[in-house]
Amino acid sequence: MITIDVAEYCSSCMDFDPDVQRPQKAYGMSEEIAISDTVIRCSNRNRCKNIERYLRKKVTNDGVGKTDEAMP
């Protein structure tokens, strides 16, 4: 099975760089037990997740950052 693991903000990102994790096979006593999924995700996912976390910390519920500047 193919699984797509991307965040919502990835849909229009110009830096999206597909990173494919190939299926892994597990064997036990000379027989195949399980095969994992093929996972498609972005190679920049950790960078973007950190940016999102930083921006969420900067913006309060009323849309005003800690510097009292209105956020778009």
Side-chain angles (χ1 to χ4, degrees):
M1 179 176 276
I2 298 173
T3 304
I4 300 175
D5 182 20
V6 294
E8 182 180 333
Y9 50 77
C10 295
S11 65
S12 60
C13 181
M14 296 298 292
D15 289 334
F16 184 81
D17 183 26
D19 176 29
V20 178
Q21 178 183 344
R22 305 271 183 219
Q24 302 293 315
K25 292 182 182 180
Y27 295 96
M29 302 300 288
S30 74
E31 66 182 53
E32 190 175 295
I33 296 175
I35 300 176
S36 66
D37 293 343
T38 299
V39 180
I40 301 172
R41 53 191 173 201
C42 182
S43 62
N44 298 316
R45 66 189 174 278
N46 293 328
R47 178 191 68 178
C48 295
K49 184 69 175 174
N50 289 332
I51 292 170
E52 178 193 28
R53 190 173 357 164
Y54 172 79
L55 291 173
R56 287 191 184 276
K57 283 182 182 179
K58 293 298 252 181
V59 177
T60 60
N61 290 336
D62 61 356
V64 178
K66 291 182 180 179
T67 60
D68 292 331
E69 296 175 7
M71 299 296 284

